[in-house]
Amino acid sequence: MENYLKARGRIFDIQKYSIHDGPGIRTIVFLKGCALRCRWCCNPESQEFDIQTMMFEGKEKIMGRDVTVEELLPIIRQDMFYYNRSGGGVTLSGGESLLQPNFAPHLLHACKDMRINTAIETTGFAKWEFIEKYLPYLDYVLMDIKHMDSAKHKEFTTQPNELILENARKIAESGMVNLVIRVPVIPTFNHSPEEIRAISEFAASLPGVERLHLLPYHRLGQGKYEGLNREYTMRHIEPMSNEYMERLLKVAERSGLKCQIGG
């Protein structure tokens, strides 16, 4: 018990009262570090594992701090009332929480000890031996499937998709968690009806998967790139209309999955 409470990891934010990252009202713990470099990423401060300085509203802000499981638990406990009333809980996000396997599973373990519902948001790009450490302590996995074409996936994210698709199938076949597939819908990348159809058909082929969420592209993270002295290469890309997203929703629904926009 004492050992895993002392496990140390690196986070950069905690967001309370979220209603978009799993069921109910949730506390989101954002972990540092990611293997992907998605062009549209709205949390560029999450990508590097190193602690960084970012300009935010004209002031320097330190992005990243090291914490133990034990240090986070009082913050998580503060909202037990809301978790219990809404069916909510704790979600690990990032970055990519699968890349801190000596910390994140212990945090999830501590949450389960308190009977708190748990979830992760993930790219799925990690070794299976890492993922196996998480599954016993998870209720939900909210996993991105961004594209079925590996070359285009690599062009826009810097990594191919074979490992991601393989892990999605392994997670589904494990039967240990409720796997929800999420698709960030990005103009110029994966916003055609054909591309959405291919992703939704793959998702429908995964055993036990019932839900697919289409997440519309937005530019809310653009200012963070400026704060990190980085170029936001998608600054000329316009978000899609609600009407177009509804059209893509109808395409996805033909897979037989329960589909929604957002979530």
Side-chain angles (χ1 to χ4, degrees):
M1 169 72 77
E2 182 180 352
N3 184 43
Y4 82 77
L5 292 177
K6 300 298 184 184
R8 183 173 294 273
R10 183 163 291 174
I11 69 171
F12 69 94
D13 198 10
I14 299 173
Q15 178 182 317
K16 305 180 88 174
Y17 314 120
S18 173
I19 56 171
H20 299 295
D21 305 280
I25 297 171
R26 309 190 73 83
T27 296
I28 317 300
V29 182
F30 292 88
L31 280 73
K32 268 281 211 171
C34 186
L36 273 58
R37 294 293 182 269
C38 302
R39 292 183 187 178
W40 60 90
C41 180
C42 61
N43 288 329
E45 74 277 27
S46 75
Q47 294 175 354
E48 298 290 341
F49 181 75
D50 293 340
I51 294 173
Q52 298 168 283
T53 300
M54 182 174 77
M55 293 300 296
F56 182 74
E57 297 181 347
K59 297 179 181 179
E60 286 191 349
K61 185 175 182 180
I62 303 299
M63 304 309 301
R65 61 188 175 100
D66 293 335
V67 296
T68 64
V69 170
E70 195 170 40
E71 289 168 348
L72 288 179
L73 293 186
I75 299 171
I76 289 170
R77 283 196 195 99
Q78 288 172 358
D79 296 319
M80 290 287 287
F81 172 81
Y82 300 105
Y83 308 151
N84 293 336
R85 286 293 297 270
S86 69
V90 171
T91 299
L92 303 189
S93 187
E96 177 51 76
S97 61
L98 293 179
L99 298 184
Q100 293 197 42
N102 295 319
F103 167 68
H106 297 305
L107 178 56
L108 294 168
H109 186 174
C111 290
K112 296 311 293 182
D113 282 349
M114 295 187 290
R115 299 183 179 180
I116 295 174
N117 180 280
T118 58
I120 60 168
E121 297 179 310
T122 179
T123 69
F125 192 85
K127 296 178 181 178
W128 180 248
E129 64 194 71
F130 289 0
I131 296 173
E132 285 184 304
K133 294 183 177 182
Y134 292 70
L135 293 180
Y137 308 113
L138 279 169
D139 295 300
Y140 288 86
V141 172
L142 312 175
M143 183 173 177
D144 282 5
I145 300 294
K146 300 178 174 72
H147 212 289
M148 295 307 296
D149 181 87
S150 188
K152 196 167 187 183
H153 192 282
K154 185 172 182 179
E155 178 187 354
F156 277 75
T157 73
T158 73
Q159 299 289 355
N161 72 354
E162 286 85 358
L163 179 63
I164 293 168
L165 300 182
E166 178 185 335
N167 284 336
R169 190 160 296 280
K170 284 182 176 179
I171 292 169
E173 290 175 349
S174 77
M176 297 176 69
V177 296
N178 188 326
L179 176 60
V180 178
I181 300 301
R182 309 208 299 182
V183 186
V185 184
I186 312 299
T188 73
F189 173 54
N190 67 354
H191 75 306
S192 74
E194 293 75 20
E195 288 163 318
I196 295 302
R197 180 180 300 113
I199 296 171
S200 59
E201 288 176 352
F202 170 77
S205 78
L206 300 174
V209 170
E210 297 179 351
R211 296 185 176 276
L212 183 140
H213 299 171
L214 300 179
L215 310 180
Y217 167 72
H218 60 75
R219 293 185 294 201
L220 298 179
Q222 183 172 346
K224 296 180 179 181
Y225 287 81
E226 298 166 2
L228 292 166
N229 199 27
R230 290 176 53 186
E231 181 185 6
Y232 184 67
T233 60
M234 300 195 68
R235 62 187 180 279
H236 302 303
I237 303 298
E238 293 292 333
M240 293 157 292
S241 67
N242 292 338
E243 291 77 15
Y244 188 77
M245 286 301 303
E246 289 290 343
R247 178 184 169 194
L248 293 182
L249 179 66
K250 288 183 172 59
V251 170
E253 286 174 337
R254 291 177 197 149
S255 67
L257 297 173
K258 298 173 185 175
C259 302
Q260 66 185 62
I261 298 171

